[in-house]
């Protein structure tokens, strides 16, 4: 094989000057008064042609392998390692290979030169602040291809065709809502990077992309710009100053400011496959541009002339035609209400007009302009308009305004050309609806186009406020959060009430999501918006979000009241039943979980009463009441607990459950020193089939209540024959209370086990022995006291009552009892009187509902 040609001398390249900004201005532009930009320079319209691939394409019909002989299959790989995902652009221009990444890092050029070997003649990194730009001069015949291995990008140089693995689809839109544009359909491209090519002497707009092997092929040449072949990414070469490339998450948009991009209507057909048919143009039903009539004449004079013409026609059919012309005139000049009035007259005289497509279309469009979107959908959905694109655009706009705008985004985008010749007022209204729909569908590119279509030097303050609000929403969508906040703050400082409220709400939500404000700050801000704009979807959504934040932050009362306002004010809204469900879920969470324990008791009972209509029926509601009663008893709010349980016993429960809750209610009354209510509750809740344990518990509570009422004999009779520990202790307590010392002592001594020699007594039984000794002392039974001393003194040696027992019983052994000393120990001796005290201890350790 022939020897390789000697390497060309490396010509030192001067550091290029800073690249000029070749991007378009932000959309829509917001110009301060008196600082409007100069009009763009006029660009001559040139025919569009699609150029053939530029370099090293295999000749048609020739085998690719044959085009590059085997002995030239040398491969050189240049590797670029990254610590995070980056987008890349790789292309050839003027014999140089360019590699551009959308992040900046300092490369090891010496290593890259070694990797290139004798296949490259020179390599250098072009200084760039926010990007990495590498220019390589390869040996002739070496073309690049790209591959990616994880975060590593690899550029392979070999003898191969110069074309990408996956050509980027390109779509021309000569009649989009914002004017002619070209769309390169590649997902998530990187930013546009201006790169100065000192060899050619111009500036390239380079857009790296993430999808591997996505590039442009064949090359395209348009009147205003050129798209050369790329292996990866996109390069735009401007031929007119007003052209810019704008990447978005949906693709790359090439558009012109001022007079717009110059594209013929053949462009989209030329971008298709060979033999593709020309796409059908948009079918229309309106001629609004001509309906305006002579804009230079006085509106009132024109209207009067048309009214006179309509009245002068002797024939009904001629009058109807003149009326229709008058209705169109009013509609086109921004008077939809007058147009609707005339259409009503037309339909009244001739009902058959209701089935005419022009009538239905005009009435539907007028309803859209009057914000009567439901009526508009009905008119524009008439069968006579089923195949009309323009009517379809208006219907999509009406349906988007009714709700779920994202679902209409595709229809609005496809038929957006209908806006082109509309008067400013109509065009702006519809373009803003389209922008909202595109943002809801995350279609950044289409949203920008609609906002551009809405923007005009004739915008009213209200229209400008709406445009700036939706620009903020678009900036939020694209991650430009600071710009979004700035947009909304600008609107908040204005006078348009609706967009002030919407902007404030959007700002609060974004700042909360970014954690720049706390939920409490967001709640405070939304509270100030409650009366900013009333009676439509904004207020509904505001109240819904406010209620959610209030509940999430623990303000259950505020959240439930906010939701209640929605239910009362928006009963006809189809989403309101969901709000009612959220109220019930919140109420259930509050009173069926431990959440209620975090509320002050007074607040818990106040919310329970305020929203009592949310108490569910059945077991869930009973459980809710039970938990709240437990909480109230625990904090000694016995009256309120008693009221809850009494209502449950009387109106909600039956059977054994009624008996159980009635027992708890009786205990609450006893704790609250209301023994008669305790007796009444036990009587009312008496049920057949109760367990022996429950019956015994109720008998004890009844005996205690009767004793507190002074009905000692009845209480004692109830306890006769009761061998349970609680029953005997209660009987001893009743006897002690009535100073029946001997009877009390006998019962207490009967509770104590026979002492074992050398054994120690249980602390509880030790206290019973002390109480029995005290009772016998008070009964002046010296012999009985002495007996207790002999039997239990040794066993009480380590008990905490030993000193008291020893003191009380010493005098009896000597035959002398000191009743003054005995009186001082009575409090300790009365420790056995623990019937209610035991319940109190159980309530401290557990809950009221745990007693049975």
């Amino acid at each position: 094989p022939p020897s390789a040609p000697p390497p060309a001398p490396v010509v030192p390249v001067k550091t290029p000057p800073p690249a000029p900004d070749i991007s378009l201005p932000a959309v829509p532009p917001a110009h301060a008064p008196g600082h409007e930009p100069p009009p763009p320079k006029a660009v001559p319209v040139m025919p569009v042609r699609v150029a053939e691939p530029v370099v090293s394409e295999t000749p048609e019909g020739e085998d690719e392998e044959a085009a590059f002989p085997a002995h030239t299959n040398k491969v050189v790989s240049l590797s670029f390692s990254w610590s995070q995902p980056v987008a890349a652009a790789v292309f050839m221009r003027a014999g140089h290979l360019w590699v551009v990444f959308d992040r900046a890092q300092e490369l090891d050029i010496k290593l890259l030169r070694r990797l290139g070997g004798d296949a490259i003649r020179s390599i250098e990194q072009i200084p760039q602040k926010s990007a990495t730009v590498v220019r390589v001069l390869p040996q002739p015949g070496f073309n690049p291809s790209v591959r990616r291995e994880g975060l590593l990008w690899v550029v392979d140089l070999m003898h191969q065709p110069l074309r990408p693995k996956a050509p980027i689809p390109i779509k021309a839109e000569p009649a989009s809502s914002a004017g002619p544009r070209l769309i390169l359909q590649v997902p998530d491209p990187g930013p546009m990077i201006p790169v100065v090519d000192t060899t050619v002497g111009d500036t390239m707009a380079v857009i790296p992309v993430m999808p591997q092997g996505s590039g442009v092929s064949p090359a395209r040449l348009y009147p205003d710009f050129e798209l050369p072949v790329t292996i990866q990414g996109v390069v735009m070469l401007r031929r007119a100053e007003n052209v810019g490339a704008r990447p978005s998450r949906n693709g790359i948009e090439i558009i012109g400011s001022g007079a717009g991009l110059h594209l013929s209507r053949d462009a989209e057909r030329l971008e298709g496959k060979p033999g593709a048919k020309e796409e059908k143009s948009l079918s229309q039903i309106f001629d609004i541009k001509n309906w305006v009539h002579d804009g230079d004449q006085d509106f009132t004079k024109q209207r009067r002339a048309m009214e006179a013409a309509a009245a002068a026609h002797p024939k009904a059919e001629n009058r109807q035609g003149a009326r229709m012309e008058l209705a169109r005139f009013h509609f086109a000049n921004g008077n939809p209400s007058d147009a609707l009035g005339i259409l009503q007259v037309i339909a009244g005289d001739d009902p058959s007009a209701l089935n005419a497509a022009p009538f239905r279309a005009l009435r539907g469009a007028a309803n859209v302009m009057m914000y009567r979107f439901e009526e508009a959908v009905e008119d524009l959905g008439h069968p006579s308009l089923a195949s009309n694109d323009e009517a379809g655009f208006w219907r999509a706009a009406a349906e988007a305004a009714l709700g779920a705008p994202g679902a209409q985004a595709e229809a609005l985008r496809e038929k957006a050309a209908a806006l082109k010749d509309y008067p400013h007022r109509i065009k702006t209204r519809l373009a803003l609806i389209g922008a909202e729909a595109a943002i809801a569908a995350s279609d950044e590119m289409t949203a920008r186009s609609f906002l551009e279509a809405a923007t005009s030097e004739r915008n009213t303050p209200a229209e400008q406020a709406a445009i700036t609000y939706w620009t903020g929403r678009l900036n939020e969508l694209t991650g430009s959060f600071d710009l979004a906040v700035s947009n909304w703050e600008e609107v908040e400082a204005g006078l348009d009430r609706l967009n002030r409220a919407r902007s404030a709400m959007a700002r609060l939500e974004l700042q909360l999501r970014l954690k720049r404000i706390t939920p409490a700050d967001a709640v405070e801000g939304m509270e100030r918006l409650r009366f900013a704009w009333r009676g439509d979807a904004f207020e509904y959504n505001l109240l819904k979000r406010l209620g959610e934040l209030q509940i999430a932050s623990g303000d259950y009362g505020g959240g439930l009241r906010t939701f209640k306002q929605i239910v009362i004010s928006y009963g006809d809204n189809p989403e309101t039943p969901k709000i009612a469900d959220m109220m019930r879920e919140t109420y259930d969470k509050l009173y069926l979980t431990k959440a209620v324990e975090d509320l002050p008791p007074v607040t818990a009972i106040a919310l329970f009463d305020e929203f009592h209509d949310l108490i569910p029926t059945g077991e869930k509601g009973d459980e809710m009441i039970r938990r709240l009663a437990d909480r109230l008893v625990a904090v000694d709010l016995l009256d309120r607990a008693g009221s809850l349980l009494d209502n449950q016993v009387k109106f909600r429960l039956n059977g054994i459950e009624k008996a159980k809750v009635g027992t708890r209610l009786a205990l609450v009354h006893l704790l609250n020193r209301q023994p008669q209510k305790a007796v009444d509750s036990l009587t009312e809740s008496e049920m057949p089939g109760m367990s022996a344990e429950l019956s015994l518990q109720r008998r004890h509570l009844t005996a205690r209540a009767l004793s507190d009422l002074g009905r000692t004999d009845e209480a004692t009779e109830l306890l006769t024959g009761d061998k349970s520990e609680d029953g005997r202790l209660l009987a001893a307590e009743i006897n002690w209370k009535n100073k029946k010392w001997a009877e009390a002592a006998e019962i207490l001594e009967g509770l104590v086990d026979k002492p074992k020699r050398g054994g120690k007594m249980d602390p509880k039984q030790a206290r019973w022995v002390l109480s029995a000794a005290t009772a016998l002392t008070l009964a002046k039974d010296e012999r009985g006291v002495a007996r207790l001393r002999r039997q239990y003194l040794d066993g009480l040696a380590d008990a905490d009552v030993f000193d008291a027992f020893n003191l009380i019983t010493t005098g009896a052994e000597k035959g002398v009892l000191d009743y003054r000393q005995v009186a001082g120990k009575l409090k300790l001796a009365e420790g056995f009187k623990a019937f209610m005290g035991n319940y109190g201890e159980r309530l401290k350790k557990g809950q009221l509902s745990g007693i049975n």
Side-chain angles (χ1 to χ4, degrees), residues 434-556:
E436 178 182 5
I439 290 170
S442 299
D443 187 348
E444 173 190 348
M445 193 178 300
T446 301
R448 290 191 185 278
S449 294
F450 275 121
L451 287 173
E452 288 175 350
T455 303
S456 165
E457 60 184 14
R458 299 173 59 191
N459 286 135
T460 65
E463 289 170 343
Q464 186 57 54
I467 292 169
T468 307
Y469 164 72
W470 287 112
T471 301
R473 291 292 301 272
L474 180 57
N475 282 325
E476 178 188 24
L477 175 67
T478 59
S480 301
F481 301 131
D482 291 334
L483 280 175
V485 170
S486 177
N487 291 141
W488 294 327
E489 287 177 340
E490 177 185 341
V491 178
E492 288 181 74
L495 300 176
D496 185 69
R497 288 181 58 212
L498 172 59
N499 287 294
R500 283 175 59 187
R502 292 200 297 187
S503 295
M505 182 68 180
R507 176 181 55 80
L508 290 169
E509 286 281 23
L510 177 58
Q511 290 176 327
L512 179 63
R513 180 155 57 91
L514 297 175
K515 297 183 178 180
R516 295 179 182 178
I517 61 175
T518 65
D521 295 331
V523 168
E524 182 181 353
M526 290 180 192
E527 285 281 10
R528 291 196 296 268
L529 293 176
R530 291 185 75 148
F531 302 100
W533 187 263
R534 305 295 305 277
D536 63 5
F538 173 80
E539 184 185 25
Y540 181 94
N541 293 327
L542 167 68
L543 293 176
K544 180 176 180 290
R545 184 61 176 139
L546 175 59
E548 291 171 346
L549 286 175
Q550 288 171 321
I551 289 171
S553 61
D555 182 8
Y556 296 102

Side-chain angles (χ1 to χ4, degrees), residues 81 261 265 362 429 565 732 791 811 814:
S81 179
L261 207 62
R265 292 196 175 272
L362 181 59
R429 175 81 54 81
Q565 182 180 344
Q791 289 179 343
K814 295 179 180 180

Side-chain angles (χ1 to χ4, degrees), residues 479-797:
S480 301
F481 301 131
D482 291 334
L483 280 175
V485 170
S486 177
N487 291 141
W488 294 327
E489 287 177 340
E490 177 185 341
V491 178
E492 288 181 74
L495 300 176
D496 185 69
R497 288 181 58 212
L498 172 59
N499 287 294
R500 283 175 59 187
R502 292 200 297 187
S503 295
M505 182 68 180
R507 176 181 55 80
L508 290 169
E509 286 281 23
L510 177 58
Q511 290 176 327
L512 179 63
R513 180 155 57 91
L514 297 175
K515 297 183 178 180
R516 295 179 182 178
I517 61 175
T518 65
D521 295 331
V523 168
E524 182 181 353
M526 290 180 192
E527 285 281 10
R528 291 196 296 268
L529 293 176
R530 291 185 75 148
F531 302 100
W533 187 263
R534 305 295 305 277
D536 63 5
F538 173 80
E539 184 185 25
Y540 181 94
N541 293 327
L542 167 68
L543 293 176
K544 180 176 180 290
R545 184 61 176 139
L546 175 59
E548 291 171 346
L549 286 175
Q550 288 171 321
I551 289 171
S553 61
D555 182 8
Y556 296 102
L560 287 171
R561 292 184 195 100
T562 300
F563 284 159
K564 188 174 183 178
Q565 182 180 344
I566 296 176
V567 172
I568 293 172
S569 303
Y570 292 91
D572 295 335
N573 191 305
E575 296 296 314
T576 296
K578 294 181 182 179
I579 301 297
D581 290 341
M582 292 172 67
M583 291 182 70
R584 284 188 285 270
E585 290 170 5
T586 300
Y587 199 76
D588 289 353
K589 175 186 175 183
L590 189 57
Y591 292 103
L592 290 176
T593 68
K594 292 185 178 181
V596 70
E597 298 178 5
D598 298 329
L599 291 179
V602 174
T603 302
I605 191 63
L607 289 179
F608 187 86
D609 288 342
E610 183 178 355
F611 299 99
H612 63 86
D613 53 319
L614 296 176
I615 302 173
T617 58
E619 294 182 3
K620 183 186 284 189
D622 295 335
E623 173 72 4
M624 189 177 290
I625 294 171
R626 179 187 70 75
R627 287 175 174 268
L628 181 58
D630 288 347
R631 170 76 168 138
L632 296 176
V633 170
V635 295
D636 209 30
L637 290 175
L638 302 177
D639 284 332
R640 294 299 291 120
S643 176
L644 282 176
L645 296 175
D646 185 63
N647 183 75
Q648 209 175 12
V649 169
K650 289 180 178 177
F651 304 111
R652 294 182 62 94
L653 299 175
N654 286 298
I656 300 303
E657 207 50 42
K658 181 174 182 176
K660 287 184 177 182
V661 175
T663 304
R664 298 170 201 165
L665 176 58
L667 176 58
V668 170
H669 286 319
L670 285 174
L671 291 170
N672 204 26
R673 299 180 181 180
Q674 296 174 320
Q676 185 57 56
K677 287 187 176 182
V679 172
D680 295 340
S681 298
L682 291 165
T683 301
E684 291 174 0
S685 61
E686 188 72 22
M687 289 286 140
M690 294 184 295
S691 66
E693 183 181 0
L694 180 59
S695 297
L696 182 63
Q697 185 182 46
R698 291 169 62 85
R699 187 163 66 249
H700 292 166
L701 290 172
T702 303
R704 174 57 194 262
L706 291 172
S707 173
D708 289 349
L709 289 169
R711 297 158 63 180
T712 306
D713 293 341
E714 296 177 61
T716 302
E717 184 178 352
L718 278 176
L719 297 173
T720 300
D722 190 338
K723 300 301 182 182
S724 68
E725 181 180 297
D726 284 345
R728 287 190 285 175
L729 284 172
L730 180 57
E733 183 178 343
I734 292 172
N735 283 312
W736 188 291
K737 179 180 178 181
N738 290 282
K739 298 184 180 182
K740 295 182 178 182
W741 311 115
E743 291 84 347
E746 181 182 358
I747 296 171
L748 290 167
E749 192 174 353
L751 288 166
V752 181
D753 297 331
K754 296 294 183 181
K756 296 178 180 179
R757 179 172 296 182
K760 296 181 180 180
M761 294 191 68
D762 177 78
K764 181 170 65 174
Q765 294 204 354
R767 286 182 174 272
W768 291 342
V769 170
L770 173 61
S771 298
T774 303
L776 289 174
T777 301
L778 292 171
K780 301 181 181 181
D781 184 353
E782 297 175 3
R783 190 173 295 177
V785 174
R787 176 175 52 79
L788 289 178
R789 182 178 176 84
R790 289 193 302 273
Q791 289 179 343
Y792 298 107
L793 183 63
D794 292 341
L796 294 172

Side-chain angles (χ1 to χ4, degrees), residues 279-442:
E279 186 173 325
K280 181 182 177 182
S281 60
L282 191 75
S283 57
Q284 296 179 296
I285 195 169
F286 296 150
D287 189 11
I288 299 178
K289 185 176 182 180
N290 290 323
W291 292 351
V292 176
H293 287 252
D294 191 347
D296 294 331
Q297 293 186 24
D298 180 80
F299 171 81
T300 302
K301 289 182 179 179
Q302 292 185 76
R303 186 200 68 199
R304 288 176 178 172
M306 296 176 72
E307 288 173 348
H313 284 293
K315 292 184 178 181
E317 59 271 20
N318 292 336
R319 281 200 304 274
Q320 293 290 69
R323 287 171 177 170
M324 193 68 179
E325 185 179 358
L326 180 60
R328 290 166 174 165
F329 173 75
H330 277 295
F331 172 76
N333 282 280
N335 300 314
S337 59
D338 291 331
L340 286 173
I342 297 168
L343 291 172
Q344 184 176 0
V345 172
I346 292 174
D349 281 358
D350 182 11
S352 65
L354 293 170
N355 294 319
F359 180 93
R360 285 283 191 169
L362 181 59
R363 193 170 73 171
N367 278 320
V368 170
M369 298 303 292
M370 291 292 293
Y371 300 95
R372 297 174 180 174
F373 300 114
E374 292 182 359
E375 294 90 336
V377 169
E378 181 180 356
D379 277 330
L380 295 164
H382 192 266
S384 64
L385 298 171
S387 60
N388 187 272
D389 294 327
E390 189 171 23
F393 176 81
W394 281 84
R395 180 178 179 178
E399 290 182 338
L402 278 176
Q408 304 302 322
E410 183 176 356
L412 289 168
R413 180 181 65 249
E414 291 178 350
K415 299 176 175 66
L419 290 175
K420 182 179 179 183
D421 295 325
Y422 285 179
H424 161 73
R425 184 174 178 183
I426 296 175
K427 185 177 184 179
T428 298
R429 175 81 54 81
L430 294 174
L432 288 173
I433 293 175
E436 178 182 5
I439 290 170
S442 299

